[in-house]
Amino acid sequence: MKKNGLLKVIFGVFALVILLTFIIPTTSGERSYLGIGQFVMNIIQSLAFFTDPVLLIIVIGGFYGVLNKTDGYKKILDKIALKYKDNRNFIIFIILAFALVAALSGISLPLLVFVPFVVSIILLMGYDKLVALSSTIGAILVGLLGGLFNNFIDPSYGSVTTMELSLGLESGANLLYKILLLILAVGILVLYVLKHIKNVKDKKVKYDIKDDSDILITEVKGSYKNIKTWPIVTAFVIMFVILILGLVPWNSLFEIELFNNLHTWITGLAIPEFKLFGITFSEFPIFNNLISSSFPALGEWTSTSFGNVGNQIMVINLIIVLMVAVVIFARVKFDEAVEGFVEGAKKILPTAILVSLAYVVLISSFTNGFMGSIIKWAMELVGGFNVVVVSILSIIGSFFSVDFFYSVAGVFSSITGYVEDTSLYPLLDLIYQSFYYLVMLVGPTSVMLIFGLSYLNIPYKEWLKYIWRLIVQLFILIFVILCLMLILV
């Protein structure tokens, strides 16, 4: 396990959860202690319920292990790094790209597939790991903090929804406030990263981290004239386009039925009845077995037909297919491809293990119910809605809930149960969304943050030293906008 301190911190959170179960009773008044046996069962449950995000991370590692066996990938990294070296506009572009894609699509974990590629470029340009992490994963989380269409699957209804729709509000009810929050939050992040770059250059900071020996980067020196890059470029372009088309719920949220209708038409294509050599061929759908109902239409990839919320099976399939295509068209030998995949998967395995442990924290807190008691006590103490109390409860609840749906189901829904004035629902929506992703920027159980810190081998305490000022700035921004909303309600 890499020495980034995350394992100790996560076990510290485990200890806190166990302690809280002994101190705080459930909403029924009884204490449901989390013993060692139950803790072990929670580990097993996390492996059963959250296999897909862990598997996704392993497949991403394997994918980059294969890419690292191709000279084309190395050529792309070097060319981009050389072209934009000392050009801070490239960093600004990366931050804006990740933030806007996340904000407009609501996609989070699948965007991790592009993170190692961009991180490698940033490091080759000479920037430190803190810049690489905050420009990629930091940008994704800030984008979701002010996300316009953050969505999740509600297993109760088997469809994609948003907090606004779950509250009975119109989709986009908080659009203007979220746009304002998004623009200002991304602007703050850009200025923050650029200031760090300047401080590193002026030697005003002591914790810039530049050691990239543990990152999946291999440099090939010499002439690249005859090396083909189009298979890798094409794979990344196709991956990005299909991820957007597949994961954005076009029909559920935007009532765009184009992709569903296209899927129905393709799977319904049939061979007409005819005779050949005296044999009569009956009509049957020629694409029904290739693209069947188990292969969902674009925009339906988050369908509950695949099981748990947050399922990434289609993303994994896409990565594997494109990886095989790269191996074929880049002419990578089979044994080298297998070796590369194994090497990449092994290097990222510690990251996958840490992510799995973070889900154990989620299961332990969600199934115990102590958070419900905290919410009940706080909301009854203030007699209903209070913007400060609700904000604090949102922060505490988010700390223990690494999955957005479970956070909404276990924390947000409990809070809203104590708010009778429905005119306050838009405010509740923005409070929870913004503070949830603010916590994900710094919380040790944040899956996105764990991926970045572990992959880049950044000590958690160094990240805290770097990020705390940004957290304070974003906190103030969120609170100012919430106060503005409160005045206008």
Side-chain angles (χ1 to χ4, degrees):
M1 193 71 70
K2 296 179 181 180
K3 297 180 180 180
N4 46 43
L6 277 173
L7 185 61
K8 292 181 180 179
V9 175
I10 292 176
F11 274 111
V13 177
F14 286 154
L16 176 60
V17 171
I18 293 173
L19 179 62
L20 290 176
T21 64
F22 277 82
I23 297 175
I24 303 173
T26 62
T27 51
S28 63
E30 299 178 355
R31 284 181 172 81
S32 179
Y33 309 119
L34 181 61
I36 296 176
Q38 185 59 49
F39 181 74
V40 173
M41 288 299 297
N42 289 347
I43 294 177
I44 297 173
Q45 280 188 310
S46 73
L47 295 175
F49 281 93
F50 299 102
T51 304
D52 44 311
V54 175
L55 183 59
L56 173 63
I57 290 172
I58 294 174
V59 171
I60 289 174
F63 174 65
Y64 278 93
V66 172
L67 288 183
N68 221 38
K69 293 294 182 179
T70 68
D71 288 336
Y73 178 61
K74 303 162 191 174
K75 179 179 178 179
I76 293 172
L77 293 178
D78 288 342
K79 285 187 68 176
I80 297 176
L82 182 62
K83 182 177 181 180
Y84 294 102
K85 190 175 181 64
D86 297 326
N87 188 342
R88 298 181 185 181
N89 289 334
F90 179 81
I91 299 296
I92 297 174
F93 170 77
I94 290 300
I95 293 174
L96 292 177
F98 273 114
L100 290 178
V101 169
L104 295 175
S105 66
I107 300 174
S108 55
L109 282 180
L111 290 180
L112 290 177
V113 71
F114 302 104
V115 169
F117 172 63
V118 178
V119 160
S120 299
I121 295 171
I122 293 174
L123 294 178
L124 286 174
M125 292 171 68
Y127 298 111
D128 67 15
K129 292 181 180 182
L130 295 173
V131 172
L133 180 56
S134 51
S135 300
T136 52
I137 289 176
I140 293 172
L141 292 173
V142 169
L144 293 170
L145 182 149
L148 308 184
F149 304 107
N150 292 356
N151 55 79
F152 56 91
I153 297 177
D154 187 343
S156 302
Y157 300 98
S159 61
V160 176
T161 187
T162 63
M163 287 198 298
E164 292 131 316
L165 294 178
S166 66
L167 289 169
L169 303 173
E170 293 183 3
S171 182
N174 280 331
L175 197 59
L176 291 179
Y177 292 108
K178 289 184 177 180
I179 290 175
L180 177 63
L181 177 59
L182 176 65
I183 293 173
L184 295 177
V186 173
I188 289 173
L189 176 62
V190 169
L191 294 176
Y192 195 83
V193 174
L194 293 181
K195 184 178 180 180
H196 174 74
I197 292 173
K198 185 179 184 301
N199 288 340
V200 170
K201 186 177 181 181
D202 296 339
K203 298 182 179 179
K204 293 182 179 180
V205 296
K206 298 179 180 180
Y207 48 87
D208 58 301
I209 306 171
K210 288 189 175 181
D211 176 26
D212 57 11
S213 58
D214 55 332
I215 307 301
L216 301 178
I217 299 175
T218 304
E219 184 177 0
V220 172
K221 298 180 180 179
S223 175
Y224 287 147
K225 185 176 181 180
N226 297 323
I227 297 177
K228 297 179 180 179
T229 60
W230 68 266
I232 291 91
V233 174
T234 303
F236 275 114
V237 171
I238 292 175
M239 188 179 301
F240 177 77
V241 172
I242 294 183
L243 282 180
I244 297 297
L245 294 179
L247 292 172
V248 175
W250 304 105
N251 188 26
S252 301
L253 293 188
F254 308 111
E255 299 182 354
I256 298 176
E257 300 180 355
L258 172 64
F259 300 113
N260 291 66
N261 293 338
L262 181 63
H263 181 269
T264 302
W265 176 75
I266 291 176
T267 55
L269 287 176
I271 295 176
E273 184 175 332
F274 67 97
K275 286 186 177 182
L276 183 64
F277 302 116
I279 301 174
T280 300
F281 287 80
S282 300
E283 185 175 318
F284 64 93
I286 58 177
F287 287 106
N288 193 44
N289 292 325
L290 179 63
I291 308 176
S292 65
S293 57
S294 63
F295 191 105
L298 294 174
E300 302 293 334
W301 282 19
T302 48
S303 169
T304 52
S305 61
F306 280 117
N308 242 352
V309 61
N311 205 302
Q312 312 299 335
I313 289 178
M314 292 303 298
V315 180
I316 294 170
N317 288 338
L318 175 63
I319 295 173
I320 292 174
V321 169
L322 291 177
M323 180 171 58
V324 171
V326 167
V327 169
I328 295 173
F329 291 105
R331 297 181 180 180
V332 181
K333 295 180 180 179
F334 178 77
D335 56 342
E336 289 185 356
V338 173
E339 180 184 0
F341 184 88
V342 172
E343 288 177 356
K346 285 175 62 178
K347 286 185 178 181
I348 211 166
L349 183 60
T351 302
I353 293 173
L354 290 171
V355 166
S356 183
L357 292 176
Y359 282 114
V360 178
V361 174
L362 165 65
I363 291 177
S364 299
S365 60
F366 184 83
T367 57
N368 181 267
F370 65 81
M371 192 62 216
S373 297
I374 295 175
I375 294 171
K376 179 182 179 181
W377 174 82
M379 296 299 287
E380 289 180 351
L381 180 66
V382 297
F385 177 82
N386 180 287
V387 66
V388 176
V389 171
V390 170
S391 298
I392 293 174
L393 290 174
S394 299
I395 292 172
I396 296 173
S398 300
F399 181 80
F400 295 109
S401 303
V402 300
D403 184 278
F404 190 60
F405 163 72
Y406 283 93
S407 184
V408 172
V411 181
F412 180 70
S413 60
S414 297
I415 294 174
T416 55
Y418 292 93
V419 181
E420 298 180 357
D421 187 355
T422 57
S423 66
L424 294 171
Y425 281 2
L427 187 62
L428 286 172
D429 168 38
L430 193 63
I431 287 175
Y432 202 82
Q433 173 181 305
S434 57
F435 281 121
Y436 175 84
Y437 287 108
L438 184 68
V439 172
M440 293 304 103
L441 268 171
V442 71
T445 55
S446 165
V447 172
M448 299 289 287
L449 184 59
I450 288 174
F451 180 93
L453 293 177
S454 179
Y455 181 78
L456 284 160
N457 198 22
I458 298 175
Y460 181 65
K461 64 178 181 180
E462 300 298 333
W463 175 251
L464 292 182
K465 291 179 184 178
Y466 166 75
I467 202 67
W468 74 269
R469 292 180 180 84
L470 177 65
I471 298 299
V472 172
Q473 293 171 23
L474 292 176
F475 180 88
I476 294 172
L477 171 64
I478 293 169
F479 217 77
V480 168
I481 293 179
L482 290 178
C483 289
L484 178 64
M485 289 185 67
L486 194 59
I487 293 173
L488 298 177
V489 168

